[in-house]
Amino acid sequence: MPIDYPKDADPHCKRAKFIPDKLIQDTLEETAQPHSSQSHELEEIRDLLSHCQHRAVEAWDYWLDSIGRGEGSIAFEDESFIIVDQGQHERPGDHLDTYEGSVDVDESAEDIVTAIHTAMAQVLTHDSWDDSYAYVIRKPPLWQITEEHAVRRIGSLARDRGSVGRGTDAFAVDVYGESQQSWADKTDRTRQAVNNSLKRGNQSAASE
C-alpha cells in the first residue's frame, strides 16, 4: 500500500523549491522546440515537479521492492537527497500519468521534467547520466518510512559488502555520515577496526 503521506507534511512538495529556478529556466530554454506552439511556464513545471516529489515519497515502498528486483538502484544518497537510477525502464516524466492538476501534460512536459531530473542528478553526482534515467528525490522531514528504508539499505549493503557487519558499517559511515571514530565509539570498537571493515567491504563489492 502507498504511504499515507499528505503533501502538507512535506514542504518540499510545495513548488519543488529544492530545484533552483535557474536550472528549470535553463532546461526550458534547452528543450524548447523551434516553431512549436507548445510552451510551458516555470510555475507550471514546478507543479509537475511537485507531483513527482510527492509521488516518489508516497510510493517509496513500491520503489524499494522494484530496486530489490533489480529494476533500479540507489545511485546516490546523502542527508538531503536520494537519486534512483532507473536505467532505461522508466523516465521521471512517465510518472506524470497520475497527475490530476491544471497543467496540460503533453510529451513536451514529460521531456522537460525528465531533463530537469537529469540536470539535478548531474549537479549532485558530477556524472553525465547519458545512459540511464535519474529520479531525484528530496528527503522529506519526519519521513514515516525511515526505519524500513534503513533496514532495506543495510540489507542491500550487506549483500554487496559480504556481511551484515560490513553492510551496517557502510550504512553508518558512507550513507549516514558518521565519522569512523564516532561510529567506533558507538559500537565499542577502535577506529581502525571500523576502517578495516569498510576496506574489506569495498573490496568485496568491487570483486562482484
Side-chain angles (χ1 to χ4, degrees):
M1 294 293 293
I3 301 297
D4 183 15
Y5 199 96
K7 282 190 175 183
D8 289 346
D10 181 7
H12 306 306
C13 284
K14 298 174 182 176
R15 299 183 64 251
K17 293 180 181 179
F18 58 92
I19 301 178
D21 281 348
K22 186 177 187 307
L23 187 147
I24 297 175
Q25 197 61 55
D26 288 348
T27 304
L28 285 170
E29 293 174 3
E30 291 169 4
T31 57
Q33 298 292 329
H35 313 299
S36 173
S37 60
Q38 296 177 330
S39 64
H40 295 278
E41 300 296 329
L42 185 145
E43 287 303 319
E44 292 180 328
I45 296 302
R46 281 206 175 279
D47 196 40
L48 301 182
L49 292 168
S50 172
H51 170 79
C52 288
Q53 166 71 11
H54 183 62
R55 174 66 178 163
V57 172
E58 188 179 45
W60 185 239
D61 54 343
Y62 290 143
W63 285 53
L64 288 174
D65 288 340
S66 68
I67 289 169
R69 294 192 298 269
E71 297 171 2
S73 63
I74 295 178
F76 173 86
E77 181 173 7
D78 63 11
E79 68 277 5
S80 300
F81 291 96
I82 293 176
I83 301 178
V84 177
D85 183 339
Q86 296 190 292
Q88 295 293 326
H89 294 290
E90 201 170 23
R91 305 178 308 155
D94 295 335
H95 292 263
L96 295 174
D97 60 350
T98 56
Y99 174 77
E100 297 179 347
S102 60
V103 180
D104 181 22
V105 177
D106 52 21
E107 185 176 353
S108 171
E110 293 175 355
D111 290 344
I112 291 168
V113 166
T114 298
I116 289 171
H117 277 260
T118 298
M120 275 292 292
Q122 290 170 341
V123 170
L124 291 168
T125 66
H126 308 292
D127 290 331
S128 64
W129 289 89
D130 290 334
D131 301 322
S132 58
Y133 294 118
Y135 200 120
V136 179
I137 304 162
R138 180 66 166 87
K139 291 182 179 179
L142 304 177
W143 201 346
Q144 296 178 4
I145 59 172
T146 298
E147 291 179 352
E148 180 181 1
H149 168 69
V151 168
R152 294 201 186 201
R153 280 295 278 140
I154 290 171
S156 175
L157 288 165
R159 290 192 296 272
D160 289 341
R161 302 309 198 268
S163 75
V164 173
R166 294 174 194 167
T168 304
D169 288 341
F171 181 85
V173 176
D174 296 336
V175 174
Y176 185 69
E178 287 275 358
S179 69
Q180 291 186 16
Q181 186 60 60
S182 174
W183 184 237
D185 293 342
K186 289 178 179 178
T187 55
D188 197 24
R189 292 179 293 169
T190 65
R191 189 203 64 79
Q192 188 60 50
V194 172
N195 183 265
N196 290 341
S197 173
L198 293 170
K199 283 184 177 179
R200 287 194 293 270
N202 288 334
Q203 290 169 354
S204 178
S207 67
E208 292 186 357

